[in-house]
Amino acid sequence: MGELVPGGNQALPDGALTIRVPGPFDLSALITGEDGKVAGDGDFVFFNQPTAPGARLDGDTVTLRPRALRPGAARVTLVISPADPGTPLGRFPAPVLSVLDERGSPLARFAPPRPSQETVLLLAEIYRRGGGWKVRALGQGYADGLAGVARDFGVDVADDGAAAPARPASARPASGAPVPPASAPPVPASPASASGAPAPVPPMPRVPPTLVAPAPASAAPAPAGGTSPPAGGASWQALDVVNAARARAGAAAVALDGRLTAAAEAHARAMAAHGALALESPDGTSLFHRIAAHGYRPLTIAEHIVSGPRTPREFVDYCLEGAERRGPFHDPAVVHLGIGRAEGPTTGDVYWTAVWARPFTPDGLLRLASEVIALTNAERAAARLAPLAPDPRLTAAAQAHSDDMVARDFYSHTGPEGHQPWDRARAAGATHRGIGENIACGQRSPEEVVRGWMNSPGHRANILKPDFTHIGVGHATGSRAGTYWTQVFGAV
């Protein structure tokens, strides 16, 4: 293992990398081109936008697959900031960055000089050099916070939540009684993203195993709508291998779905045509757009985006090698599968797309929302706060906003017409004196989304606000990020 000093660099092997920085820090990553600027706000990977093509953040660890980064990516800069924004890093233990290969073997370590008054530290960068990748130690401090770093790298950073407009005070009653206090203004929604841009979806997300009971192991479920792909394709060739792996894990067999297969094949062809792994094509069409266009509406979804294996068995064997990659193979929540395979027209490289899903049902959505509420109330119980009661009007507002973000392809607390969370709650019939909202996208399970909110100071404040008494949860799938979540809180 190499010990790096500021400015020192070291070559890295091909394959996935794990970068870890333990301690009381928020770890972030900025994906940039040769010019040192991001291509869009989706290139900023942080606690509430934890994924981008080729990069995934989970707590104190970033998993990086350099060859799966977006086209044009040449550098990934690793950044730490205090979990409590604005606190000088000098008050915390000195950070240590470790780089490991895909087998978990240590490659490099960097312990920068202890910072003092800086509130952000650029620790290291993973950068392209020739046909390979290297790591360079930085140790550069910033005093103006993570937002300052993001702006320097070209991220469009939104204001951290403007105050909500106060409702007008009640008019003085004709009787001359004292004027009642003005209704408390709606609580501003905490920012769901520093950029307001959708988070790209991870290549191999986990599907929540607790949403539905496993199907009987005796037979695979029939494809929804009675569709199935033509015989002889990659899906059929892989199905026996997939279901054998699921049987060994005690999970029920999956059935092939023609719509998922058509979407997977179209996406694999698009990747082969452009010679790059990605969840979104250069024209802006994502895998999830393709799934919707072929008529499948998922409740839960997972996907594999892979290049290299040439046969269905090699593809399945590769996916089963890693704990994260094998998740859908063992998960009882998914019941349908589609697989696409395509070869690059000039290189002959093979590109695979696998889509795992369970179709949407109203009961399934209710169970999903109930699990988010249960996890939220568990966090409140740990803080000795009263639980939040489900409210149908807040639920309607939350669901409408998640649906709207998918339908109109945006990600923001502010709707295209300028409507704010309290406007949507009022339109749904809510009369609460205060309203708050959390949103998130790209997280694949209730556990993951609540954990992300709790790791964000603004969202955590909404979840743990003592004044809030009621909650509604919305969830929708599709668009660019795949999953869109909304919590709306109310105070009576």
Side-chain angles (χ1 to χ4, degrees):
M1 179 178 68
E3 288 283 347
L4 298 176
V5 297
N9 66 81
Q10 177 178 319
L12 297 171
D14 197 17
L17 302 169
T18 298
I19 300 100
R20 184 167 183 261
V21 186
F25 311 112
D26 282 336
L27 180 61
S28 309
L30 288 145
I31 302 166
T32 57
E34 293 289 355
D35 61 355
K37 300 293 185 181
V38 300
D41 296 340
D43 282 349
F44 184 24
V45 178
F46 67 114
F47 50 75
N48 207 54
Q49 185 168 273
T51 60
R56 179 176 178 83
L57 171 66
D58 187 4
D60 63 3
T61 301
V62 168
T63 301
L64 191 65
R65 295 175 175 82
R67 295 190 181 278
L69 293 170
R70 63 160 175 84
R75 183 177 289 107
V76 180
T77 303
L78 287 309
V79 182
I80 61 165
S81 56
D84 184 9
T87 304
L89 288 169
R91 298 183 185 178
F92 300 101
V96 177
L97 176 142
S98 300
V99 182
L100 300 90
D101 66 15
E102 58 188 358
R103 294 180 298 277
S105 301
L107 298 171
R109 180 179 180 274
F110 176 49
R114 187 184 184 91
S116 57
Q117 295 303 308
E118 295 88 349
T119 56
V120 170
L121 193 66
L122 308 188
L123 272 178
E125 61 182 8
I126 310 295
Y127 63 103
R128 188 193 304 272
R129 177 56 57 91
W133 291 79
K134 303 181 77 173
V135 57
R136 177 186 290 120
L138 298 176
Q140 176 186 346
Y142 272 69
D144 55 347
L146 193 58
V149 175
R151 290 189 185 97
D152 283 358
F153 279 76
V155 177
D156 182 14
V157 180
D159 189 1
D160 212 38
R167 296 178 183 173
S170 301
R172 181 181 296 274
S175 65
V179 178
S183 298
V187 180
S190 58
S193 165
S195 65
V201 185
M204 286 83 64
R206 298 177 298 278
V207 179
T210 55
L211 296 182
V212 292
S218 57
T227 61
S228 60
S235 288
W236 284 105
Q237 295 174 36
L239 183 63
D240 289 344
V241 185
V242 167
N243 280 333
R246 288 178 66 84
R248 290 193 297 271
V254 292
L256 294 180
D257 184 276
R259 296 159 299 178
L260 293 180
T261 297
E265 289 175 343
H267 195 73
R269 288 194 299 270
M271 291 192 297
H274 294 96
L277 289 172
L279 277 167
E280 186 174 317
S281 300
D283 65 359
T285 304
S286 74
L287 171 61
F288 310 106
H289 288 133
R290 293 185 169 100
I291 292 169
H294 283 89
Y296 192 102
R297 183 183 180 186
L299 176 69
T300 57
I301 191 164
E303 67 279 345
H304 288 89
I305 304 294
V306 173
S307 177
R310 304 202 66 82
T311 68
R313 180 170 288 279
E314 288 176 358
F315 166 74
V316 172
D317 288 346
Y318 170 79
C319 293
L320 289 173
E321 287 176 359
E324 186 178 15
R325 293 196 297 268
R326 77 170 68 101
F329 285 84
H330 296 173
D331 202 307
V334 294
V335 297
H336 292 143
L337 172 67
I339 297 181
R341 177 190 184 277
E343 292 190 19
T346 57
T347 64
D349 292 340
V350 178
Y351 293 83
W352 296 85
T353 300
V355 183
W356 311 73
R358 173 174 286 270
F360 172 88
T361 64
D363 286 346
L365 179 61
L366 179 61
R367 288 194 295 271
L368 196 71
S370 296
E371 189 169 352
V372 172
I373 294 173
L375 291 166
T376 299
N377 280 333
E379 297 292 349
R380 288 178 65 89
R384 301 182 182 276
L385 296 171
L388 302 172
D391 184 282
R393 297 158 299 181
L394 299 181
T395 298
Q399 188 59 48
H401 191 53
S402 287
D403 288 339
D404 195 29
M405 287 191 289
V406 168
R408 295 199 280 178
D409 199 15
F410 74 98
Y411 178 58
S412 175
H413 293 285
T414 304
E417 293 81 19
H419 295 153
Q420 299 294 332
W422 38 93
D423 300 321
R424 294 188 289 271
R426 190 180 303 118
T431 58
H432 301 78
R433 63 179 175 84
I435 294 293
E437 182 180 84
N438 287 341
I439 60 174
C441 66
Q443 294 82 0
R444 284 301 191 265
S445 70
E447 294 87 354
E448 187 177 1
V449 73
V450 173
R451 182 171 65 247
W453 281 327
M454 288 300 294
N455 286 336
S456 162
H459 299 86
R460 179 186 178 93
N462 267 350
I463 288 174
L464 300 183
K465 187 174 180 66
D467 289 350
F468 285 145
T469 55
H470 292 81
I471 187 174
V473 172
H475 171 265
T477 57
S479 192
R480 298 173 188 268
T483 54
Y484 291 78
W485 307 79
T486 304
Q487 283 180 317
V488 179
F489 305 90
V492 296

